Amino acid sequence: MFATEQQVRPHYQSIYERLNDMTADELDRRQQAANLAFLSQGITFTVYGRDEGTERVFPYDLLPRIIPAHEWATIEKGLTQRITALNMFLRDIYHEGKILADKVIPRSLVYSCRHYRREMRGVHVPRNIYVSVVGTDLIRLEDGSFAVLEDNLRVPSGVSYMLANRSVMKKVFPNLFGSYGVRSVDQYGQALLSTLRALAPAGRPDPNIVLLTPGVYNSAYFEHTYLARQMGIELVEGRDLLVHDNVVYTRTTGGLKRVDVIYRRVDDDFLDPLAFRPDSMLGVAGLINAYRAGNVALANAVGTGIADDKAIYAYVPRIIRYYLGEEPIINNVETYLLDDEKERRYVLENLDKLVVKAVGESGGYGMLIGPHSTAAEREEFRARIIAEPRNYIAQPTLALSQAPCFVEGNFEPRHIDLRPYILYGDQVTIVPGGLTRVALKRGSLVVNSSQGGGSKDTWVLYE
C-alpha cells in the first residue's frame, strides 16, 4: 500500500482515505460479517497433522490487494509464455525427447523424477495439452518485479477461495468495490468449463464432463463441490465410475452414462489401481486403458507432475528459450540443485540462511526455512540431503513483500504471495486476479493454507 513510510501508492489512495474515515469498531464489524459469511457458506479447509479439529473456516483478511493494469499485463504475458513452454516440454519428454537429446536438461533428472510416468510414453493427449489448469506462485521482489516461486501443475487448489473472497468482499465493502474499477473474476467457472470442453474426444460434440474427487475427507473437498456447482457438472468419486470396453461410464439413476472428460482432483498414484497403486480406493479400475485409447480425457494429463518438480523448475528458463526462442518474461528465483556437488556443499554450509524444499512436495510440507529453524531441524535436513540429494533443492530466504492486514483490531504488515490461475484449452485464459495468500503469524514466511495461512481478495484494475 505504501511506497515509502508516508507515501501511499496511487492505486491504493482511495481505499486508504476510506479506511481513515472508518472507526476500529466499524472495521471489526465488517471483519466479523466476512467471517460469518465464510462460516455460513461452509468455506473451509483441512489442516492435517493436528490433534485438535482439522476442519477450519478459511481465514480471510478484510483489506484487498490491488494490482494496477500495467503490472497485470506483464503477469499475463509471462504466465502465458510459461504454460505454453511447459506444455511443449511435457509433450516432448513423453515422445521424441529432443530437449534431452540436445542436453538442455539432464536425462537422469527427468527419469529420476517420481512424477515421471513411463506409462505415458507415446500416449497422445487431446490437442497436445498436458496442463489445462495451473496455479503459479508469484512473489514480488525488492525491485517491484514479480518472480515465479513455484509451478503447481498436478492438482492446483485454492481457486474457490479466490471466488469466495470476491463474493464476500462485494458484500462487506459494496460501495468501495463498485467505485474502484475492479476486473471481474466471476467468469472463472465458465472459463474452466470451456477449457474442459476443448479436451473432449473427437466425435463428442456435447461431452459429459465430471469432477472426480477423493471424497469428503480431502482437504480441498469444499473446492471440489464449489467448482462442480459453478460449472453445473456432476461431482463423482471413484466408486461412481466404471470402465467397460475402454469406455468410462458414470452410474446414474437412469442407467450408465458415458463420461468424456474428467477434471480429476485425485493424484496420479490413486487414479487407477490396475496401473498405479493397487491399494487405491479412490480411482477407477481400467481408467488408464480408456485414457490411452483416447475415449476419455483427463485434466490435467497423467504425468504432468514432472513439470512442477522443484528441480525441473530450475530449468524452466532454459525450457522457455529452447521451445519458444524467447527470454522469460517472469524470472525464477535462484535455485541450488543438490545433486551438484559444489552447490550441495554450499547449501550444507549455509543451511541457517537458506530455504530447503523437497522437490516433490507441495502445500508447505517437507520444507526447512533456515533462519527460523532450530539446530536439530537443520541436522535432520542435513542428513536427508546427504542421503538423497536429488530430492531437495535450496533457495535464498527471500523477504516476501508485505501488505497491511486487519489483525485483532489493528493494521499490521504480513507477508504475502500471489497464485494466479491459468487455463489452457482452445486458448490461454487467465482470470484477472488470483489468490493472495497471507502468512497470518507475525514475521512468518509460510503462506500455505495447509500450514495455517489465510488469504485476501486480489483486485486487478482496468486502468
Side-chain angles (χ1 to χ4, degrees):
M1 179 178 283
F2 296 94
T4 63
E5 191 171 338
Q6 299 295 328
Q7 185 184 5
V8 179
R9 296 182 192 278
H11 48 282
Y12 276 102
Q13 188 64 43
S14 294
I15 194 169
Y16 175 76
E17 292 171 0
R18 182 75 181 92
L19 292 173
N20 267 339
D21 291 339
M22 299 174 72
T23 65
D25 285 344
E26 186 176 355
L27 284 165
D28 195 47
R29 279 197 300 275
R30 293 184 190 236
Q31 180 71 63
Q32 289 181 29
N35 295 343
L36 187 59
F38 273 73
L39 180 65
S40 62
Q41 294 178 58
I43 303 171
T44 61
F45 70 105
T46 302
V47 178
Y48 295 124
R50 302 284 181 92
D51 292 333
E52 65 269 30
T54 56
E55 192 76 10
R56 299 182 177 186
V57 173
F58 195 63
Y60 170 77
D61 182 64
L62 203 56
L63 307 184
R65 176 199 199 146
I66 303 176
I67 298 176
H70 69 277
E71 286 190 357
W72 182 254
T74 302
I75 291 173
E76 225 171 14
K77 288 178 185 171
L79 295 179
T80 299
Q81 179 193 58
R82 200 170 179 97
I83 192 173
T84 302
L86 287 174
N87 264 298
M88 296 171 78
F89 167 69
L90 286 163
R91 190 207 169 278
D92 188 17
I93 62 165
Y94 285 119
H95 290 82
E96 298 85 2
K98 292 178 182 173
I99 197 168
L100 306 179
D102 290 339
K103 299 183 178 179
V104 177
I105 295 181
R107 200 178 289 271
S108 60
L109 189 68
V110 171
Y111 293 159
S112 62
C113 175
R114 73 180 176 96
H115 297 296
Y116 177 79
R117 299 294 180 187
R118 296 185 187 279
E119 297 84 349
M120 288 297 291
R121 289 290 299 271
V123 175
H124 293 279
V125 303
R127 297 171 181 261
N128 290 325
I129 297 173
Y130 285 76
V131 185
S132 303
V133 186
V134 184
T136 299
D137 294 342
L138 303 178
I139 58 170
R140 192 189 284 278
L141 303 177
E142 287 187 12
D143 65 359
S145 65
F146 283 93
V148 174
L149 188 61
E150 288 184 11
D151 299 293
N152 298 281
L153 294 96
R154 280 171 281 167
V155 282
S157 63
V159 73
S160 62
Y161 303 124
M162 173 189 82
L163 299 170
N165 286 351
R166 177 59 54 83
S167 173
V168 170
M169 176 60 76
K170 287 178 178 175
K171 294 173 183 169
V172 175
F173 282 119
N175 295 331
L176 180 66
F177 180 83
S179 65
Y180 229 95
V182 181
R183 293 177 65 182
S184 176
V185 297
D186 296 342
Q187 68 276 25
Y188 180 84
Q190 288 310 302
L192 175 58
L193 184 60
S194 296
T195 298
L196 298 173
R197 282 181 180 278
L199 303 179
R204 304 293 294 173
D206 187 19
N208 181 28
I209 302 170
V210 299
L211 193 159
L212 176 62
T213 175
V216 296
Y217 297 109
N218 185 264
S219 63
Y221 186 70
F222 161 76
E223 176 155 303
H224 304 163
T225 60
Y226 186 95
L227 290 177
R229 197 165 55 243
Q230 286 267 316
M231 291 188 282
I233 65 174
E234 292 292 327
L235 179 72
V236 299
E237 297 183 22
R239 60 189 173 183
D240 299 319
L241 302 177
L242 63 87
V243 177
H244 179 67
D245 284 346
N246 284 343
V247 176
V248 182
Y249 297 92
T250 180
R251 296 180 173 91
T252 75
T253 53
L256 297 180
K257 184 178 181 182
R258 178 170 172 172
V259 173
D260 303 298
V261 181
I262 300 176
Y263 178 36
R264 51 96 171 204
R265 300 297 296 260
V266 175
D267 286 334
D268 288 356
D269 282 340
F270 301 96
L271 266 180
D272 182 348
L274 299 181
F276 303 120
R277 285 184 54 159
D279 60 340
S280 172
M281 303 291 286
L282 304 177
V284 188
L287 176 60
I288 296 302
N289 280 342
Y291 182 52
R292 283 196 188 112
N295 292 330
V296 68
L298 295 174
N300 288 335
V302 174
T304 56
I306 188 171
D308 71 12
D309 181 292
K310 292 176 177 60
I312 298 291
Y313 157 92
Y315 286 87
V316 172
R318 296 181 218 186
I319 290 173
I320 291 172
R321 292 186 195 104
Y322 182 78
Y323 292 111
L324 303 178
E326 302 170 358
E327 285 300 309
I329 296 170
I330 305 178
N331 289 319
N332 271 18
V333 172
E334 182 182 11
T335 300
Y336 301 99
L337 297 173
L338 302 190
D339 56 359
D340 180 286
E341 187 177 348
K342 184 179 176 184
E343 295 192 6
R344 183 169 66 248
R345 191 183 315 123
Y346 172 80
V347 169
L348 291 175
E349 291 170 356
N350 293 277
L351 280 175
D352 59 329
K353 303 179 183 69
L354 300 169
V355 175
V356 178
K357 298 177 180 176
V359 296
E361 297 289 346
S362 59
Y365 295 101
M367 186 166 71
L368 174 81
I369 300 179
H372 296 176
S373 64
T374 64
E377 288 169 337
R378 290 193 292 277
E379 284 309 306
E380 180 188 340
F381 268 78
R382 182 187 303 280
R384 290 189 194 179
I385 290 169
I386 292 171
E388 295 183 291
R390 164 64 178 85
N391 286 343
Y392 293 90
I393 57 101
Q395 294 171 330
T397 305
L398 299 171
L400 300 183
S401 60
Q402 297 186 81
C405 297
F406 190 63
V407 182
E408 297 178 353
N410 297 301
F411 292 117
E412 295 187 10
R414 291 290 186 269
H415 291 111
I416 58 172
D417 75 355
L418 174 65
R419 176 178 290 182
Y421 294 89
I422 309 108
L423 302 174
Y424 194 168
D426 284 330
Q427 58 186 2
V428 176
T429 303
I430 307 174
V431 173
L435 184 67
T436 291
R437 303 185 299 173
V438 182
L440 290 174
K441 187 178 176 184
R442 182 181 295 167
S444 172
L445 296 172
V446 181
V447 297
N448 306 77
S449 58
S450 54
Q451 304 288 308
S455 73
K456 54 170 63 203
D457 195 13
T458 308
W459 293 4
V460 174
L461 304 182
Y462 280 106
E463 299 290 341

